[in-house]
């Protein structure tokens, strides 16, 4: 079997066990770390001033998640991003709940132009970052992926990055290519950290992307996560058992399973 780019990248990740620095929100730290471990990477929740920058220099990838941006964590984010850019460490921005909330919105607007490898969020968050919306209902989107698609393409072109919009069918673009990933399950929206952990997976795949393009690395993370969610949902009785089953499914996924179960389509932006 010829492996897809998603399957090949999963193999690379398992072979290289990249170190992923997660500056993320306090609600999802444990779940995110377990997801990163399950996929075959090494998580490090290094998020204090004086350590965040030096750690970004040695990490394979960095996640910056704005879910609970305390004053020190905001400074640590800026320190880590600056060092990541100096060290060519790919970093991912997750602009959680921006739009109506002023502090995180201003921080997202400050960080977004600083060469992120990718930006991922729900439709309302991406629209807010693109200057085309006021945000959603807290961390929940009030906009559809289709509505956010033009803004995502424009944002990717303006910032020269990959923008990923989560939804029933994920929309991922670098401003030139569009990749849609239909894998996933609605139970992901009923588990705290279901979306935030995806940002850490993107950072892990970015760390091992090799000859594959950034948009392919981001799409690979979505496909792998979505297939694991489908497998977990098939045996879960509700959100609690789903969360445990998701971690189990991530740990047992194989490249051949990804190739056979992925639902990915691509077209020009």
């Amino acid at each position: 079997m010829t492996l897809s780019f998603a399957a090949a990248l999963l193999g690379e990740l398992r072979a290289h066990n990249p170190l992923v620095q997660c500056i993320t929100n306090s609600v999802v730290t444990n779940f995110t770390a377990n997801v990163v471990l399950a996929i075959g990477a090494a998580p490090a929740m290094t998020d204090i001033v004086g350590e965040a920058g030096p750690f970004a220099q040695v990490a394979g990838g960095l996640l910056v998640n704005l879910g609970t941006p305390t004053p020190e964590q905001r400074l640590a984010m800026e320190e880590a991003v600056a060092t990541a850019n100096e060290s060519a460490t790919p970093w991912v921005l997750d602009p959680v709940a921006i739009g109506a909330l002023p502090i995180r919105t201003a921080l997202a607007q400050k960080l977004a132009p600083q060469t992120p490898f990718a930006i991922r969020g729900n439709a309302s968050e991406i629209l807010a970052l693109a200057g085309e919306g006021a945000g959603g209902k807290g961390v929940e989107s009030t906009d559809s992926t289709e509505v956010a698609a033009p803004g995502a393409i424009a944002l990717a072109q303006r910032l020269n990055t990959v923008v990923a919009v989560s939804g029933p069918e994920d929309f991922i673009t670098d401003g030139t290519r569009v990749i849609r990933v239909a894998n996933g399950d609605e139970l992901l929206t009923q588990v705290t950290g279901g979306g935030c952990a995806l940002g850490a997976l993107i950072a892990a795949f970015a760390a091992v992307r090799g000859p594959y393009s950034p948009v392919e690395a981001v799409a690979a993370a979505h496909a792998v996560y979505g297939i694991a969610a489908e497998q977990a949902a098939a045996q879960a009785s509700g959100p609690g058992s789903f969360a445990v089953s998701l971690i189990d499914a991530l740990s047992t996924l194989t490249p051949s399973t990804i190739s056979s179960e992925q639902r990915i389509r691509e077209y020009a932006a």
Side-chain angles (χ1 to χ4, degrees), residues 20 36 44 55 64 72 96-97 109 150 153-154 167 221-222 264:
V20 181
V36 172
F55 203 89
V64 175
E72 178 169 21
V96 178
Q109 291 169 342
I153 293 171
H222 282 75
I264 296 175

Side-chain angles (χ1 to χ4, degrees), residues 74-198:
R74 295 198 298 271
L75 293 174
M77 289 173 182
E78 294 187 43
E79 177 185 293
V81 166
T83 304
N85 285 335
E86 292 171 0
S87 306
T89 302
W91 68 278
V92 177
L93 175 64
D94 191 337
V96 178
I98 68 165
L101 298 172
I103 291 175
R104 71 188 63 216
T105 301
L107 181 59
Q109 291 169 342
K110 183 177 183 179
L111 293 176
Q114 297 184 43
T115 326
F117 180 87
I119 299 170
R120 73 136 316 260
N122 64 41
S124 293
E125 292 161 349
I126 296 302
L127 282 170
L129 190 59
E132 299 178 12
K137 182 182 178 182
V139 298
E140 298 178 6
S141 180
T142 54
D143 298 285
S144 70
T145 304
E146 297 307 316
V147 168
I153 293 171
L155 187 64
Q157 292 172 340
R158 174 161 57 89
L159 298 179
N160 191 29
T161 190
V162 176
V163 176
V165 186
S166 296
E169 185 178 51
D170 300 319
F171 181 93
I172 303 150
T173 183
D174 60 2
T176 301
R177 299 167 65 186
V178 170
I179 298 178
R180 288 180 178 264
V181 179
N183 295 104
D185 191 89
E186 188 177 359
L187 280 171
L188 276 171
T189 66
Q190 299 178 36
V191 173
T192 300
C196 295
L198 176 56

Side-chain angles (χ1 to χ4, degrees), residues 1 45 91 252:
M1 173 186 287
M45 307 343 235
W91 68 278
T252 57

